[in-house]
Amino acid sequence: MAEQFLEEIYQKALIIQQLREYIKFTYDGCPRDARRLYNQAASGIEGILGELEQADPALANEVFQAAVDVRDHYEEDSYATSVVEGRLIPALFRYMQYYADIDVTEGKYRLYSAKSGFLTVCDTESGRLLHNEYDPLWEAGRIAESIYNPEIECYHILGAGLGYLPYQLWRQSEGAVKLVIYEEDETILSYARNYGVLDWIAEDALEIVYDKDAEKLGAIFTKAVKDKDSVFYISPWKTELYKEVQNGKIRVLATNAALERSTGFRTAVNLRKNQKHIQIRFEEIRAALAYKEWIVVSAGPSLDEQITFLKESKGQRGIVAVNTVLRRLFREGVRPDLVVAADQYVQMKEHIDGIGEQTAGIPMIAEERVNWQYTEQYQGAICFVKVGDSSEDGEWQVSGSVAGLALESAVRLGAEKVYLVGQDLAYPDGKTYAAGMPYVADAQSRGTMLVPSMDGGMVPASEAFNWFRIGLETQIAGYPDVKFVNLSKHGALIRGCITDTV
């Protein structure tokens, strides 16, 4: 249980949570749940009116009149919810400002009141917030909704925070889930119990895994989350804190999980639409493309330097192109043997608008959730594959970049040697992409870090590019019998690749 004075504040702050949930259940068509939540909130409002009348009579009257208006029009859902959302909740936020005066810095952590009355934490060394500073409990509720699945029994959470997320998961499941929290910081664990809501969770539903060594804790976490019957969550704060832990595995896990959550609806649409496309089995592609050497072509600046090599390689080496470079290759008279595509976003369509007819006869290997508006225009047969974090159930293990799918395709097609073209993963000479790409980017704003370059120096890169680089290195390390050649002269150094003059 939180400190007694905080417990009293938090119980008042819960009124806002209950009202928000009343709105949600009303919209979801769950009148019994909506009534239960509103009755709880109404009881809480009744309990604070006397105190509020002494402190701010005008605000007390505003709260009272709004509550009466909801009561009198409760059966009119649209009207009642608009009163709650537009009048009652804003008034209660103003009421909670009487309790929002906590602001204490201890070591590197600043612990202070959010607008809703619940506390939040800031890491003063990095400047990052652990929680939303407006309403952290509601924020946690939205995250819980995005990851909760009634069929999942166990949730692994890297980072205790103040306990808001595990509490919301526990509530949402009505106490049916097991929660495992991994934390390396004793101070945060103490905050979660004394100033947060961690102790609101039943003891038998909660397990704390503590190790002050982040590397050891990361190893325990990454091993645990491989369980198919569990779900994991890593906060943005912990993702940044653990970006180098386990050789970048934590960051990869967090990024992939966030992508999965953000594309849930889009995934369902893409899967359904893609089923209608002409399909080809991978074995058929392998039988038709028997090259020992393959060239993976990406959209980085160094592609400009290798056009001649690509033209000279036709018929001698297989060429597998990521979807972004097709327009440029066709313009140069280079027809790839294979195309790969993975992105789910509608922007994919820009890469094929107007050139769909030129793809006839070129097979494509695509992640099964790839954007359907791209595959709809693609004229070649498509082999849809499942990409994941394990080799179970036929999943392809690839890095976060679409180039990872191209590399994996080349290896599975029997490559003994793979050339990387345009895989710069950096901004050499301030360039973002090769000429002729359908978009450009500001290298100065994106190049937030320096990484080792192929020429022995350092080159600016984005965090995303660095993550892609780490993923490719891990992928390459899994194929020690294949020779990988990076033809980028000034891009990011990709360990496991050699340089070669062609």
Side-chain angles (χ1 to χ4, degrees):
M1 182 181 240
E3 298 283 351
Q4 183 59 40
F5 78 98
L6 277 176
E7 194 71 25
E8 294 174 1
I9 295 173
Y10 286 177
Q11 290 304 316
K12 301 177 194 295
L14 276 175
I15 299 173
I16 297 173
Q17 168 86 11
Q18 291 157 355
L19 289 172
R20 281 176 153 167
E21 291 188 346
Y22 149 73
I23 295 173
K24 178 186 180 300
F25 282 124
T26 299
Y27 291 160
D28 288 347
C30 304
R32 291 185 178 180
D33 288 319
R35 171 67 74 175
R36 172 177 56 84
L37 267 300
Y38 186 76
N39 286 343
Q40 290 178 10
S43 178
I45 290 170
E46 185 177 356
I48 67 172
L49 279 175
E51 170 197 348
L52 185 54
E53 176 69 31
Q54 296 295 319
D56 191 335
L59 183 56
N61 183 63
E62 186 178 340
V63 170
F64 176 74
Q65 292 299 330
V68 169
D69 208 6
V70 175
R71 181 199 65 191
D72 292 345
H73 298 84
Y74 188 82
E75 301 305 324
E76 303 173 45
D77 290 349
S78 295
Y79 183 83
T81 53
S82 67
V83 171
V84 170
E85 191 168 21
R87 290 165 52 192
L88 194 48
I89 290 177
L92 289 171
F93 263 101
R94 297 206 302 277
Y95 163 67
M96 290 310 302
Q97 294 313 292
Y98 287 104
Y99 302 97
D101 58 353
I102 298 171
D103 194 336
V104 179
T105 299
E106 181 181 32
K108 71 172 186 174
Y109 294 120
R110 178 189 170 206
L111 191 69
Y112 62 102
S113 299
K115 299 296 184 183
S116 66
F118 288 100
L119 295 186
T120 189
V121 181
C122 177
D123 179 347
T124 59
E125 290 183 357
S126 66
R128 295 187 71 105
L129 287 170
L130 275 66
H131 302 291
N132 180 288
E133 61 180 8
Y134 182 71
D135 192 346
L137 188 65
W138 186 246
E139 171 197 43
R142 305 292 63 74
I143 296 171
E145 278 188 3
S146 74
I147 65 176
Y148 178 64
N149 181 340
E151 297 180 358
I152 299 297
E153 295 183 0
C154 184
Y155 290 80
H156 299 272
I157 303 171
L158 181 58
L162 293 181
Y164 297 125
L165 177 58
Y167 170 69
Q168 290 285 39
L169 281 168
W170 180 71
R171 281 189 67 252
Q172 190 158 329
S173 72
E174 298 182 0
V177 298
K178 178 182 179 182
L179 300 155
V180 186
I181 297 176
Y182 302 77
E183 184 57 66
E184 86 291 338
D185 193 323
E186 276 189 292
T187 299
I188 291 296
L189 280 175
S190 175
Y191 284 175
R193 294 199 181 280
N194 296 320
Y195 309 125
V197 299
L198 197 62
D199 285 351
W200 287 5
I201 304 169
E203 289 186 13
D204 61 355
L206 184 64
E207 177 185 348
I208 303 293
V209 179
Y210 168 76
D211 196 308
K212 64 181 179 181
D213 186 324
E215 194 68 38
K216 291 181 181 178
L217 188 68
I220 296 171
F221 179 79
T222 53
K223 182 178 180 180
V225 301
K226 291 180 179 179
D227 182 359
K228 291 289 185 181
D229 296 323
S230 66
V231 167
F232 68 88
Y233 180 78
I234 308 168
S235 71
W237 176 64
K238 282 295 188 185
T239 301
E240 176 65 20
L241 203 63
Y242 275 63
K243 64 182 179 181
E244 302 297 338
V245 171
Q246 287 289 289
N247 197 30
K249 288 181 181 178
I250 300 291
R251 191 177 184 87
V252 171
L253 282 172
T255 303
N256 285 344
L259 181 62
E260 289 287 337
R261 290 195 303 275
S262 72
T263 57
F265 171 77
R266 188 177 295 108
T267 291
V269 174
N270 288 340
L271 284 170
R272 184 173 67 252
K273 291 278 193 177
N274 286 337
Q275 290 174 354
K276 301 177 181 180
H277 202 283
I278 299 173
Q279 299 189 31
I280 186 173
R281 293 183 299 112
F282 179 74
E283 290 73 17
E284 295 177 74
I285 296 177
R286 184 163 51 195
L289 300 175
Y291 293 103
K292 295 300 182 182
E293 295 188 4
W294 278 85
I295 308 170
V296 171
V297 186
S298 300
S302 63
L303 168 60
D304 295 332
E305 304 167 359
Q306 300 298 337
I307 296 299
T308 300
F309 171 58
L310 294 176
K311 291 179 177 180
E312 292 174 348
S313 294
K314 190 60 183 173
Q316 302 177 47
R317 303 179 179 92
I319 299 175
V320 50
V322 304
N323 60 274
T324 52
V325 302
L326 272 184
R327 193 182 307 277
R328 171 71 187 279
L329 293 185
F330 287 153
R331 191 167 65 244
E332 297 286 353
V334 176
R335 187 173 172 83
D337 300 280
L338 179 67
V339 175
V340 296
D343 290 341
Q344 300 180 38
Y345 298 102
V346 70
Q347 289 87 341
M348 279 277 290
K349 183 173 175 290
E350 300 174 10
H351 303 308
I352 198 168
D353 281 342
I355 61 170
E357 292 184 0
Q358 298 182 61
T359 64
I362 304 176
M364 177 165 70
I365 295 177
E367 209 280 340
E368 62 181 357
R369 299 164 297 181
V370 72
N371 181 259
W372 70 269
Q373 291 171 296
Y374 184 89
T375 60
E376 187 177 57
Q377 293 192 55
Y378 198 87
Q379 298 298 302
I382 302 179
C383 172
F384 290 105
V385 298
K386 185 176 183 179
V387 173
D389 297 323
S390 72
S391 57
E392 297 179 15
D393 301 322
E395 289 185 350
W396 285 34
Q397 297 181 73
V398 304
S399 67
S401 167
V402 66
L405 180 57
L407 185 150
E408 184 72 13
S409 299
V411 172
R412 289 183 179 232
L413 289 171
E416 296 175 359
K417 188 174 186 179
V418 177
Y419 293 91
L420 301 183
V421 168
Q423 194 59 32
D424 298 273
L425 296 175
Y427 303 114
D429 298 324
K431 295 179 180 178
T432 53
Y433 297 101
M437 294 303 109
Y439 47 74
V440 294
D442 181 1
Q444 187 171 0
S445 64
R446 291 194 174 195
T448 57
M449 60 194 309
L450 292 176
V451 298
S453 64
M454 291 295 296
D455 57 17
M458 304 293 285
V459 62
S462 66
E463 289 190 6
F465 274 171
N466 192 48
W467 172 58
F468 292 157
R469 178 183 63 81
I470 292 171
L472 279 176
E473 289 178 348
T474 301
Q475 201 172 339
I476 287 170
Y479 297 110
D481 296 330
V482 179
K483 182 181 291 187
F484 294 91
V485 182
N486 189 352
L487 295 183
S488 172
K489 297 178 181 179
H490 307 290
L493 175 68
I494 302 175
R495 293 177 177 82
C497 293
I498 62 172
T499 57
D500 199 358
T501 302
V502 295

